Every structure is written in C-alpha cells, then in structure tokens.
Amino acid sequence: MGKSANQYLKPLTTEINANGNLSVGGCDLVDLAKTYKTPLYIIDEFTLREVCKNYKDAFSKYEKINLMYASKALCTSAITTIIAGEGFGFDVVSGGELFTVYNSGVDMKRVLFNGNNKTYEELEMAINYGIGRISVDNFSELKLLNDIAKQKNKVADILLRITPGIECHTHEYIQTGHLDSKFGFDMSQIDEALILIKNKYKNLNLKGLHAHTGSQIFELKVYQDEVEILIKEILRIKAKYDIDISEINLGGGLGVKYTDSDNPPSVFDVSEIIINTIKNMCEKYNVDYPKIYLEPGRSIISTSGVTLYTVGSQKQVPNGKKYVAVDGGMADNPRPSLYQAEYVAQVANKPNERNYEKVTIAGRYCESGDILIKDIDLPKLEEGDVICVYNTGSYNYSMASNYNRTQKSAMVLVNSGLSDIIVNRETLDDLIRYDVIPSRLKEC
Ligand SMILES: *Cc1c(COP(=O)(O)O)cnc(C)c1O
C-alpha cells in the first residue's frame, strides 16, 4: 500500500536544485528567504493535498466515513480552503476557528465543535451558523447548550465526549478504568448524561460518542481498543436505555516523523485496523456499521510545513556548546520550549556541504529555554546562512505569540515554482493596534 505523507520527514517536493540550494514546491528556499524575509513559514501544497488523498484512499472502502481536519493544528483561510476543497470537514475548538472556516465558505454541516469550556457566545454562534455537530464535554455544557437551543427553537445534534480510559504516549500506551483528564465525561458519568438527555434536555439530539486518545500516536492498537470500547458502549446503551447511537468519533492523533527515529504508522495501516475492528465487532454483535468520524490535525498539515530562519550571532562557550542564534524561536515555534519537541534542520544555501560541526540552534527570545534544536550536526554556519527546519506545519503558527513584542511571521504557499503569501507578516503598527493610552495619562 506504500507510505503515506505523514511518514516523511520533509515535504515530498524537497530537493536540491541546480543552484545547489534546497527547494520545496519548486521554489528555491534561499530566494524565498530574500523575497519574503525570515522567519518564514512555508507550506507545500502538493504534500498537503497528497496526505488528504492518502486519508481519502485509505478509508474509501468504508462508506460511512466523515473525515474532518482538526483546525487547531493550523487554521488560516487559505489552508481551510485547500482542505475543504479536498473534501474534508472541520473540527473547531473556538469561535475564532469556527469563524475562519465559516468565512472560507465551508459547508457548516461538515463542522464539529469541540472543547471543554465553550462559551455561551461560541455555542450561540455555532447554532446560528447551522453547525453539523457539537461535541458536548460536560454536564454544565449539556444544560447551557440545551438552554440556547431551546431559546432558538432548535434541536442541536450532539456527540458526547467521553474519556475511554486509553492513554497513549509516543511509543507506549496504558489503559486504565478511569482517567484523570480535563476532557469529556468519565465512563462512569455517561449514564447520568444519557438520562438527562433522554428525560430533560429535549433540545439535544444525541447522535454519537466521541473520544480522542492523545497525540503523536505510533501504536496501532490504540485505535483497535478505542473502536472496541466505543462499540461496546453503544451496545450497552442500546440494551439498557433503548437509545440508538449511530456515530463514533475516533478523534485524531496519528503521529508524524519529526526526526529519523520517529516511525509513525501509515494512514493505510490505521484505516485497516479501524475498519477491520469495526467489521469484526459489528458482525460479532450483529449490529449496523456506525458512521465514523476522524479528526486528524498534525498528520494532515505537519509534513507540508517548513520554517526558514537566518543565522545571526554565534557563541562558543569555552569547553562547552556552540550556540548559533537565529532570528526566530519560541514565539514562532513554542514546541521545543513547551515540551522538549525535537526537530531536524538543514542549511538551505549549502545542503551539500559536509564540514559538519555540532551546534545548538538558539532562538532570539529572552528566555534561556528558547532553544530550537539541541546538538545538531550542520555544515559550519556563518551569519546570513538560511536554516530550514522541517515538519513545522502543525502547532507552530497556531501556537505563535508576540513575545518580546515581535511581529508574527508571514506564511507562504508554494506549488510548482509559484509562491503566494497566505498570511502577511505583522507590522510594527499591528503591534500597537490594540493599545490604548487613557486620555488622563496625556493631560499631565
Ligand atoms: C487536538 C485534537 C485533535 C487533533 O489531534 P492531532 O494530534 O493534531 O491529530 C483531534 N480531536 C480532538 C478532540 C483534539 O483535541
């Protein structure tokens, strides 16, 4: 079945061009750095569309599949337009993400709203937009959503977010009866929620169950266990309350290859285990196949993204590390300082040079923890060299900040030698746009 795009470390179009520079999407990265300045986020449209196609191919043999992209990984108007064009729906977790997909002309029936503390305004907005599903996370939200739907004389189609007691880490996972998680109903609280929905909350229509077991998943068995637990729960609910539940949302979480030692499974392996488990369960218990939702984020957008930085100062600690500072860091990619995430980089203007030395790529922000890559072998670096960090499509721009009062970086979409700005670089004026000086401060 071959590899899927999430199993590659670099965008699929990455090559060394005739100038001896790195190129992605047919665009010379050194030229892009000159034209658009750095730090610069780049998204390779080919790789993005390819992984969407991988998902569609992988699940094409299961009729009742609803693929959604978890927008929190990267949500901009151009990105949502591309992914909607590939036939995906969207999982959103805020009014801002909801507004972005709405504004991109996405069919609202294909959108699902997640989150453990959605506000009144956000839920109201979701209902006004005619959103397809709301995944209800807790008892307060059941009541709040029912109240809002009632006021509007509507019935909201909901999923119940549950914590199935599977917890996955990157290379292993544990299964427990109860999980200490801020998300969703504990398995022991489901009955109480069902009774409330059945007897009291007449403006809620329960369509399905929703679980999301974690992120950067490498273990296929997580999906098997998740499907088994959810289908068993549907059977239990049917037997005990005669409530028909026809949808299960398996969440996202498939891993990507940040470094050479990461070996995420392919989308095809994931689909095989999910579909086989469903078939086995449904045949064994003689029930209809459920409608399946999947909401991958990272595995859709990560591999298509790279970030360019320009090398500035260097510091050799006597008898210690050599630090090479670049013009970005934790404000454009907080993952290394947040959770020791590892990345791989190459030098865009001399990818073929072999005079390696071990360096640590430091960010420009005023925090000792602002290190992008620890101990990487790169050709001897000089001021002005352009560093290309791979696999930055997910949870980089979407987690970016203006720390140290810096402007957020621009984002460029590349394809077949064309490059287009899809997010403008912030300006100095943008930084003070929302500042207010009360007039009494000016009077003295
Ligand atoms: C974060 C999240 C996702 C996406 O996770 P990825 O690891 O990016 O695939 C999907 N569903 C829910 C409920 C999430 O919280």
Side-chain angles (χ1 to χ4, degrees):
M1 256 176 301
K3 284 167 83 168
S4 53
N6 66 305
Q7 297 182 293
Y8 292 84
L9 200 148
K10 306 175 184 180
L12 303 176
T13 60
T14 308
E15 53 188 31
I16 295 173
N17 66 14
N19 302 330
N21 293 338
L22 279 176
S23 89
V24 172
C27 294
D28 187 309
L29 296 186
V30 181
D31 287 347
L32 293 182
K34 268 197 206 113
T35 308
Y36 300 104
K37 309 284 186 284
T38 56
L40 182 67
Y41 298 109
I42 292 166
I43 297 290
D44 180 38
E45 188 177 341
F46 178 82
T47 304
L48 173 54
R49 290 190 186 276
E50 191 63 18
V51 77
C52 292
K53 290 188 175 80
N54 293 156
Y55 266 101
K56 284 187 288 186
D57 288 348
F59 285 93
S60 61
K61 53 182 178 288
Y62 194 84
E63 233 171 82
K64 299 193 224 173
I65 183 76
N66 197 347
L67 295 169
M68 293 181 299
Y69 166 64
S71 331
K72 74 172 191 270
L74 175 63
C75 186
T76 80
S77 303
I79 296 299
T80 53
T81 300
I82 292 172
I83 294 175
E86 290 295 332
F88 277 60
F90 292 83
D91 153 32
V92 299
V93 294
S94 70
E97 289 183 357
L98 180 57
F99 181 72
T100 307
V101 299
Y102 178 76
N103 227 36
S104 316
V106 168
D107 174 6
M108 284 294 120
K109 287 276 155 266
R110 298 288 314 278
V111 181
L112 180 147
F113 196 1
N114 269 315
N116 69 315
N117 194 20
K118 308 174 193 80
T119 65
Y120 182 97
E121 289 75 17
E122 287 174 325
L123 290 170
E124 193 177 33
M125 183 177 165
I127 290 182
N128 287 344
Y129 283 173
I131 200 165
R133 296 285 181 273
I134 296 174
S135 181
V136 179
D137 187 273
N138 52 63
F139 290 108
S140 341
E141 192 173 282
L142 278 177
K143 177 170 188 322
L144 180 61
L145 183 61
N146 188 69
D147 288 349
I148 298 172
K150 195 169 173 181
Q151 275 167 28
K152 297 184 179 291
N153 219 359
K154 296 236 165 92
V155 173
D157 288 328
I158 64 166
L159 307 182
L160 274 194
R161 171 77 184 265
I162 64 169
T163 317
I166 303 170
E167 188 177 13
C168 35
H169 304 282
T170 302
H171 297 287
E172 87 223 54
Y173 79 106
I174 43 173
Q175 233 184 306
T176 57
H178 299 257
L179 254 188
D180 192 8
S181 164
K182 75 167 185 177
F183 294 107
F185 294 90
D186 190 90
M187 296 294 278
S188 65
Q189 299 171 322
I190 295 176
D191 286 38
E192 190 183 340
L194 290 173
I195 293 166
L196 285 168
I197 296 165
K198 196 173 175 183
N199 300 332
K200 192 163 171 207
Y201 296 142
K202 302 291 179 198
N203 296 73
L204 303 181
N205 178 28
L206 178 63
K207 303 287 281 186
L209 299 180
H210 176 201
H212 168 73
T213 53
S215 214
Q216 188 63 351
I217 297 174
F218 285 24
E219 281 271 359
L220 285 173
K221 190 151 187 310
V222 169
Y223 294 99
Q224 182 183 339
D225 289 350
E226 194 185 7
V227 170
E228 285 176 358
I229 290 171
L230 290 175
I231 292 184
K232 277 186 187 150
E233 197 53 24
I234 289 179
L235 293 166
R236 188 188 70 83
I237 291 169
K238 172 73 181 165
K240 191 163 176 192
Y241 300 102
D242 197 30
I243 297 174
D244 287 302
I245 293 180
S246 57
E247 303 182 354
I248 58 178
N249 182 340
L250 300 173
L254 178 60
V256 299
K257 191 176 181 71
Y258 285 114
T259 67
D260 285 322
S261 57
D262 288 337
N263 287 305
S266 78
V267 171
F268 306 107
D269 292 338
V270 171
S271 74
E272 196 170 288
I273 196 148
I274 290 175
I275 295 171
N276 287 342
T277 311
I278 294 174
K279 285 195 169 149
N280 291 341
M281 292 289 284
C282 290
E283 273 158 32
K284 185 167 161 194
Y285 296 103
N286 193 25
V287 285
D288 288 345
Y289 289 174
K291 180 171 177 179
I292 299 293
Y293 290 84
L294 276 186
E295 41 187 25
R298 188 191 312 272
S299 57
I300 294 283
I301 194 68
S302 229
T303 317
S304 59
V306 304
T307 306
L308 302 183
Y309 300 97
T310 303
V311 169
S313 64
Q314 309 202 11
K315 173 182 175 179
Q316 174 68 60
V317 179
N319 308 316
K321 275 187 198 303
K322 181 163 186 182
Y323 288 96
V324 175
V326 295
D327 52 356
M330 64 187 288
D332 56 80
N333 181 1
R335 294 188 69 255
S337 44
L338 255 184
Y339 20 71
Q340 285 85 49
E342 290 182 46
Y343 286 90
V344 167
Q346 275 188 292
V347 188
N349 52 304
K350 45 188 184 193
N352 278 329
E353 274 189 28
R354 293 284 176 269
N355 53 339
Y356 289 140
E357 62 176 354
K358 202 175 278 307
V359 295
T360 285
I361 309 287
R364 58 156 295 168
Y365 296 92
C366 298
E367 287 282 332
S368 298
D370 177 27
I371 300 293
L372 274 177
I373 304 179
K374 260 190 199 135
D375 297 331
I376 180 175
D377 289 319
L378 286 176
K380 201 165 168 27
L381 290 165
E382 294 161 76
E383 211 174 310
D385 282 341
V386 177
I387 305 256
C388 169
V389 177
Y390 291 107
N391 230 310
T392 59
S394 69
Y395 304 108
N396 271 233
Y397 177 75
S398 68
M399 293 180 127
S401 76
N402 293 105
Y403 186 50
N404 288 182
R405 206 72 161 168
T406 51
Q407 302 101 296
K408 281 192 197 142
S409 303
M411 191 179 299
V412 166
L413 183 71
V414 294
N415 193 355
S416 309
L418 299 175
S419 64
D420 294 288
I421 277 276
I422 56 171
V423 178
N424 282 311
R425 187 175 300 282
E426 288 183 353
T427 64
L428 289 171
D429 281 325
D430 289 329
L431 293 175
I432 57 167
R433 188 171 310 277
Y434 302 102
D435 291 0
V436 178
I437 305 175
S439 53
R440 63 184 178 78
L441 295 183
K442 296 177 190 160
E443 278 158 17
C444 39

